[in-house]
Amino acid sequence: QQVAAGAVSVTQPIYLGGKLRALYKTAKLASDVSNIKYEKEKEDLLISVEEAYWRVLSVRHKQQLAEQYVKLLEQLDSDVNAMVEVELATRSDQLKVSVKLNEAEMTLTKVEDGLSLSRMLLCQLCGLPIDTRLTLDAELLDDIPVDTADIQAEAAEAMANRPEIRQLQIASNIYRQKINIERSALLPTLALTGGYGFSNPALTHGFENRFRGLWSVGVMLKVPVCHWGEGIFKVRAAKAEALTYQYQMEEAREKIELQVNQQTFRVNEANRKYELCLRNLEKANENLRVAQVGHKEGVVTTSDLLAAQTAWLSAMSDKTDAQVDIQVTRATLNNILGK
């Protein structure tokens, strides 16, 4: 006689020492961490795009400046050649101007190449083909707009907005839930059970050559009696990990406060630098004007005029660098503050 038997059982946990609730909260907190990481990567990308934007604008203005400088030298080269013909200038003066003109043209070529590369980087960060021809709105302006107002450090704003702080807070909460999970192993558990068993031959009414079964319903209570200290050690380890994240959060707060103060100092320093560049440019413009007039009158040498032009070029370049520095430092500060 062949015997066939089978059984199906179902267990529905009712109370697992708080483990299910802790696991649910842990999963939700882990999802929040993923969202914060996404926000952080997005902010880092935005600051990279903004820095690339201002670098493109900086190189574009330097290209325009190099073109102006080449035009100045071309005009000077033409004037010196005419003066050489009437013996008012020497061949040495002509060669000096020619060398400077060649250097300026080479510099212009390098700046144009740098502008192309800067545009490619901006396109790459924006997810565009690198050969896309971008025209920035600020390129249409004669000057780079800047805000030179001094600012005050707002560390509290950074603490409230920075994703790193929120991420560490969530991580600390996750480890608190881990404590509850480990502690649940020390608590009683309660579950509802149900099942159905069947066999052939059936045993319900003697021996019957047919399938018959029995239903069963019950409650299962599991009480840990002795765990030899394993569960206690796991709970202590989880508490230590949670405490570690608390220390990391305190350290992160100190670093962010220092970071905010340092970047605020850089912004205000960039403002001072820009003011100095404006004063230096004003003097360079006047020096160039006097040198040009004096050269036409024959009282200023070609070497002095070339020096005045070089000083003017340097002052204009420093001004552009200072303007971009203001924009970049302010953008970095906004990123630090979590704006």
Side-chain angles (χ1 to χ4, degrees), residues 18-35 167 169-184 238 241-242:
K19 184 176 182 179
L20 290 178
R21 180 179 298 177
L23 289 173
Y24 173 78
K25 290 182 178 180
T26 299
K28 187 176 183 303
L29 291 171
S31 176
D32 294 339
V33 169
S34 299
N35 293 333
Q167 187 172 346
Q169 288 174 338
I170 292 176
S172 179
N173 292 334
I174 288 176
Y175 275 92
R176 288 197 187 97
Q177 296 304 321
K178 186 177 180 181
I179 295 173
N180 295 332
I181 293 173
E182 298 296 345
R183 185 182 289 121
S184 66
E241 289 176 339

Side-chain angles (χ1 to χ4, degrees), residues 50-62 138 143-147 263 266-267 270-271 273-274 277 316-332:
E50 187 157 2
E51 289 178 357
Y53 174 90
W54 290 113
R55 295 305 175 192
V56 169
L57 197 60
S58 172
V59 179
R60 172 57 180 158
H61 277 264
K62 288 188 176 182
D143 205 4
I144 299 177
V146 292
D147 182 5
Q263 193 61 31
R266 291 190 184 101
V267 171
N271 293 338
K273 180 182 176 182
Y274 178 64
C277 288
M316 288 291 292
S317 180
D318 289 344
K319 175 195 170 188
T320 300
D321 289 339
Q323 290 172 321
V324 171
D325 193 30
I326 289 177
Q327 294 289 1
V328 172
T329 53
R330 284 183 176 270
T332 303

Side-chain angles (χ1 to χ4, degrees), residues 1 29 35 43 45 86 92 95 123 126 172 206 247 302 305 325:
Q1 177 69 36
L29 291 171
N35 293 333
E43 290 175 1
L45 176 60
V86 296
S92 176
L95 291 174
C123 290
C126 293
S172 179
Y247 290 145
T302 302
L305 179 57
D325 193 30

Side-chain angles (χ1 to χ4, degrees), residues 140-156:
L140 305 177
L141 303 176
D142 295 332
D143 205 4
I144 299 177
V146 292
D147 182 5
T148 58
D150 287 345
I151 58 176
Q152 299 294 328
E154 296 290 345

Side-chain angles (χ1 to χ4, degrees), residues 127-240:
L128 300 173
I130 60 174
D131 57 349
T132 303
R133 177 64 181 179
L134 293 178
T135 301
L136 307 182
D137 294 339
E139 288 186 52
L140 305 177
L141 303 176
D142 295 332
D143 205 4
I144 299 177
V146 292
D147 182 5
T148 58
D150 287 345
I151 58 176
Q152 299 294 328
E154 296 290 345
E157 184 177 3
M159 301 300 177
N161 298 332
R162 284 289 289 270
E164 294 92 332
I165 295 295
R166 286 183 286 147
Q167 187 172 346
L168 286 172
Q169 288 174 338
I170 292 176
S172 179
N173 292 334
I174 288 176
Y175 275 92
R176 288 197 187 97
Q177 296 304 321
K178 186 177 180 181
I179 295 173
N180 295 332
I181 293 173
E182 298 296 345
R183 185 182 289 121
S184 66
L186 307 178
L187 300 176
T189 60
L190 182 66
L192 179 65
T193 63
Y196 178 76
F198 58 90
S199 65
N200 185 2
L203 303 177
T204 54
H205 301 288
F207 285 93
E208 294 181 285
N209 192 18
R210 60 183 299 180
F211 280 100
R212 287 185 178 275
L214 296 173
W215 292 95
S216 63
V217 178
V219 177
M220 182 175 64
L221 177 64
K222 179 181 176 182
V223 180
V225 177
C226 182
H227 45 72
W228 304 103
E230 179 184 1
I232 295 176
F233 288 130
K234 287 183 177 180
V235 171
R236 289 178 179 175
K239 288 181 178 180

